[in-house]
Amino acid sequence: MKKLINSPETVVTEALEGVAAAHPSLSVDVENKVITRAGGPTPDKVGLVSGGGSGHEPLHGGFVGYGMLDAACPGEVFTSPVPDQMLAATQAVNGGAGVLHVVKNYTGDVLNFQMAAEMAEDEGIEVVPVVINDDVAVEDSLYTAGRRGTGATVFVEKIAGALAEQGAGLAAVAAVAREVNERSRSFGVALSSCVVPAAGKPTFELGEAEAELGIGIHGEPGRTRAALTPARDLAAVALDAIRSDLPVRGDLLVMVNGMGGTPLIELYLMFNEVRKYVEGHGGHVARNLVGNYITSLEMQGFSVTVCQLTDTLTPLWDAPVDTPALRWGR
Amino acid sequence: MKKLINSPETVVTEALEGVAAAHPSLSVDVENKVITRAGGPTPDKVGLVSGGGSGHEPLHGGFVGYGMLDAACPGEVFTSPVPDQMLAATQAVNGGAGVLHVVKNYTGDVLNFQMAAEMAEDEGIEVVPVVINDDVAVEDSLYTAGRRGTGATVFVEKIAGALAEQGAGLAAVAAVAREVNERSRSFGVALSSCVVPAAGKPTFELGEAEAELGIGIHGEPGRTRAALTPARDLAAVALDAIRSDLPVRGDLLVMVNGMGGTPLIELYLMFNEVRKYVEGHGGHVARNLVGNYITSLEMQGFSVTVCQLTDTLTPLWDAPVDTPALRWGR
């Protein structure tokens, strides 16, 4: 196992110490694994909390800040955070207007966020959960009933975060989060496995000339294993799958996301192929993200996420954001 | 070779098409491989041009924009751009106040930038080159006489770019660029090789439990090959080497940079070790960058760059910047 770590047991804690030291805009409770904005809760603003297993950085901690999340609770690598963490995060960001839980659709995350929401409600904090399930690759995968939640999480956190920042109420913020999820679809491709530190060996094996089409963000199996083909063919595989479930017409927000071990030069090349495909099918890439936003440790590969924009969603995407990993307009 | 590409010959051109499509703030001449700000040259502002082989993204194209570079010219992967590219970039950004060339110390880059400067001077454009040579690992490496230029390039482009944006003249902008270079040192460690697309195989071979200490950004040999040790020991190796050449005391700007294939969670953990080392030696990490800024394709590993800040340099680092890869304060 080739990793920049001290020991598998302390990876998450030590990385959180690094996050705390690197970003004065964040307040990091390393012991309880809760990342919040340094300024404390914003009075009368809906609080946004997300969380999930570590190993997907910058998701979620890198998206805590003005215009996006109020808190993130990271679990151990590829392991759901516990309800106590989620409750602590919910309490910490409660400004009196209720709290939105952004939950990726994995069984552990969904159950634990549900327990945390019940505990918070017992304390008089109104909580609404929104479950993200944008990955069209497979139904009922390892760890998941239904579709997996992947790249759309970034879009939901940004757009719902912007609406919350503008002072909208909990019902409206939850509604736009659900709308973004419903209008978004993703598909991922792996060229290599990742290595979970505690396991010490690759999660799966891929041949020298193979790719896993429809990979999950924890290395869960996709639709099929196939020969590694040129970038334009991989773009078509991903977008054919997305398009079978959601038209890629009109103004679109498109993310070409790196899985963690793929260099930026390849992501830009892949974005170019995605853009050409979309334009060839009547769509227009009105907004984009190209880079590492929801990763799977050192896995090589990419995912594409497409969101159908509307006259309401585009300005919320464009609204100012100031987080470690996403920052513009302020 | 596992890469998201169509063919080795078209990687750079197709990636540039992706950059052009992703960033409306940039103007990309794909044929001549020149990236400039979309708005054209800023009248009476010193223009900043950098360039070098591709494969180090986001360097340099990702640093073109307000407060940083005016143009970048990417060569083929790990290959110097040609003088004609550099001349075209110099002409494109000439606002009448002269042009600074930020040149990493590799023989091809230095010679080609020198030829481009002479051609530009023949056209009446004043050009001053600043050569970056911050890598303490080795002297007279493959491709280089003297020390290699690596991470300090990011600091120079940011700080000199800020001073140029404030309206300083060419001599002052060049002086601050030289000062940042002189006050900065770097050291890199590789856990794996990279694969140049045209070569199709790893540049070098590393054993399962080995690391290359003092790696160059093109996979050039470092000081020694050693057993892969815990992160805290690797931080000490890098910082011992830096500290033997530059005191790490006082307020420091520190970058923990990923080589391209290392996930962010490991970079934050490594940053934590670097911070602890610095604090243990009388230094203070006053500013930082943690992420992929000057990469070597899909190489796993990291580099540390340390710059001794001053009362002049810190505000220039903090000044607004608006580029694809570095953005704050505006």
Side-chain angles (χ1 to χ4, degrees):
Chain A
M1 171 170 59
K2 288 207 154 176
K3 288 183 183 290
L4 302 171
I5 63 174
N6 291 312
S7 86
E9 292 73 33
T10 55
V11 169
V12 173
T13 302
E14 292 178 12
L16 281 177
E17 286 177 5
V19 169
H23 302 294
S25 66
L26 301 179
S27 173
V28 182
D29 180 341
V30 173
E31 194 185 332
N32 296 306
K33 298 200 185 80
V34 176
I35 302 172
T36 55
R37 303 188 195 179
T42 310
D44 302 324
K45 189 186 87 68
V46 170
L48 270 77
V49 173
S50 193
S54 291
H56 307 301
E57 291 71 21
L59 189 89
H60 298 274
F63 299 134
V64 173
Y66 181 87
M68 214 160 164
L69 295 179
D70 293 273
C73 32
E76 287 300 315
V77 172
F78 293 177
T79 303
S80 174
V82 296
D84 281 349
Q85 269 176 281
M86 298 160 170
L87 176 64
T90 304
Q91 291 164 330
V93 307
N94 175 33
V99 176
L100 184 77
H101 283 178
V102 180
V103 186
K104 300 195 301 300
N105 190 33
Y106 300 98
T107 307
D109 295 50
V110 171
L111 283 175
N112 287 352
F113 264 111
Q114 193 175 332
M115 284 181 63
E118 285 165 14
M119 293 189 285
E121 297 270 0
D122 286 346
E123 298 185 9
I125 304 173
E126 191 183 359
V127 173
V128 174
V130 172
V131 176
I132 312 302
N133 62 346
D134 56 308
D135 185 347
V136 298
V138 292
E139 290 279 334
D140 302 332
S141 170
L142 208 57
Y143 315 129
T144 316
R147 288 196 313 224
R148 302 177 295 219
T150 59
T153 314
V154 180
F155 296 173
V156 168
E157 293 177 1
K158 169 67 186 80
I159 289 173
L163 190 65
E165 213 68 63
Q166 293 174 6
L170 182 56
V173 173
V176 85
R178 270 185 221 106
E179 184 185 4
V180 171
N181 180 57
E182 283 159 14
R183 300 179 78 88
S184 300
R185 299 291 187 278
S186 296
F187 190 91
V189 173
L191 307 194
S192 72
S193 179
C194 49
V195 177
V196 176
K201 59 181 177 49
T203 304
F204 59 97
E205 297 289 343
L206 265 182
E208 259 309 297
E210 280 183 331
E212 178 79 22
L213 308 180
I215 190 75
I217 58 171
H218 312 95
E220 308 96 307
R223 289 185 173 184
T224 182
R225 190 157 294 187
L228 177 59
T229 51
R232 71 174 64 88
D233 300 329
L234 294 176
V237 166
L239 285 158
D240 283 349
I242 288 171
R243 202 163 58 94
S244 72
D245 207 60
L246 182 93
V248 297
R249 286 193 293 274
D251 277 0
L252 304 172
L253 165 60
V254 174
M255 175 168 71
V256 170
N257 169 66
M259 292 297 198
T262 284
L264 196 52
I265 189 170
E266 295 179 30
L267 297 180
Y268 275 116
L269 191 152
M270 183 57 64
F271 174 69
N272 192 45
E273 295 302 332
V274 167
R275 175 190 63 85
K276 287 194 287 188
Y277 180 105
V278 165
E279 288 175 357
H281 289 80
H284 169 59
V285 181
R287 298 291 186 275
N288 72 83
L289 279 182
V290 181
N292 293 320
Y293 294 99
I294 169 172
T295 61
S296 303
L297 295 169
E298 73 275 66
M299 183 187 284
Q300 285 182 292
F302 74 104
S303 61
V304 183
T305 303
V306 174
C307 174
Q308 294 178 325
L309 288 169
T310 69
D311 290 348
T312 312
L313 298 184
T314 304
L316 290 169
W317 178 257
D318 290 343
V321 60
D322 190 359
T323 72
L326 217 60
R327 189 185 284 145
W328 59 66
R330 197 191 185 202
Chain B
M1 173 170 58
K2 289 207 154 176
K3 287 183 184 290
L4 301 171
I5 64 174
N6 291 312
S7 86
E9 292 73 32
T10 55
V11 169
V12 173
T13 303
E14 292 178 11
L16 281 177
E17 286 176 6
V19 170
H23 301 295
S25 67
L26 301 179
S27 173
V28 182
D29 180 341
V30 173
E31 193 183 334
N32 296 306
K33 298 200 185 77
V34 176
I35 302 172
T36 55
R37 302 188 195 180
T42 309
D44 302 324
K45 189 186 86 68
V46 170
L48 270 77
V49 172
S50 194
S54 292
H56 306 300
E57 292 69 22
L59 188 89
H60 299 273
F63 300 133
V64 173
Y66 180 88
M68 215 160 164
L69 295 178
D70 293 273
C73 31
E76 287 299 315
V77 172
F78 293 176
T79 303
S80 175
V82 296
D84 281 350
Q85 269 175 282
M86 297 160 173
L87 177 63
T90 304
Q91 291 165 331
V93 307
N94 175 33
V99 176
L100 184 78
H101 284 177
V102 180
V103 186
K104 300 195 299 302
N105 191 33
Y106 300 98
T107 307
D109 295 49
V110 171
L111 283 174
N112 288 352
F113 264 111
Q114 193 175 333
M115 284 181 63
E118 285 165 12
M119 293 188 287
E121 297 271 0
D122 286 347
E123 297 186 9
I125 304 173
E126 192 184 359
V127 173
V128 174
V130 172
V131 176
I132 312 302
N133 63 345
D134 56 308
D135 185 347
V136 298
V138 291
E139 290 280 333
D140 302 332
S141 169
L142 208 59
Y143 315 129
T144 316
R147 287 196 313 223
R148 302 176 298 218
T150 58
T153 315
V154 179
F155 295 173
V156 168
E157 293 176 0
K158 169 66 186 80
I159 288 173
L163 191 64
E165 213 68 63
Q166 293 173 7
L170 182 55
V173 173
V176 85
R178 269 184 222 106
E179 185 186 3
V180 171
N181 179 57
E182 283 160 14
R183 300 179 78 88
S184 299
R185 298 292 187 279
S186 295
F187 190 91
V189 173
L191 306 194
S192 72
S193 179
C194 50
V195 177
V196 176
K201 58 182 177 50
T203 304
F204 59 96
E205 297 289 344
L206 265 183
E208 259 308 297
E210 280 183 332
E212 179 78 21
L213 308 180
I215 190 75
I217 59 171
H218 312 96
E220 307 97 307
R223 289 185 173 184
T224 183
R225 191 157 294 187
L228 177 59
T229 51
R232 71 174 64 88
D233 299 329
L234 295 175
V237 166
L239 285 158
D240 283 350
I242 289 171
R243 202 163 58 94
S244 72
D245 207 62
L246 182 93
V248 297
R249 286 193 293 272
D251 276 1
L252 304 171
L253 165 59
V254 174
M255 175 167 72
V256 170
N257 169 67
M259 291 296 197
T262 285
L264 196 52
I265 189 170
E266 295 180 30
L267 297 179
Y268 275 117
L269 191 152
M270 184 56 65
F271 174 69
N272 192 45
E273 295 302 332
V274 167
R275 174 190 64 86
K276 287 194 286 188
Y277 180 104
V278 166
E279 288 174 357
H281 290 80
H284 169 60
V285 181
R287 299 292 186 275
N288 72 83
L289 280 182
V290 181
N292 294 320
Y293 294 99
I294 169 170
T295 61
S296 303
L297 296 168
E298 72 276 65
M299 184 187 285
Q300 286 182 291
F302 74 103
S303 61
V304 182
T305 304
V306 174
C307 174
Q308 294 178 324
L309 288 169
T310 69
D311 290 350
T312 312
L313 298 183
T314 304
L316 291 168
W317 177 257
D318 290 343
V321 61
D322 191 359
T323 71
L326 217 58
R327 189 184 285 144
W328 58 66
R330 197 191 183 200

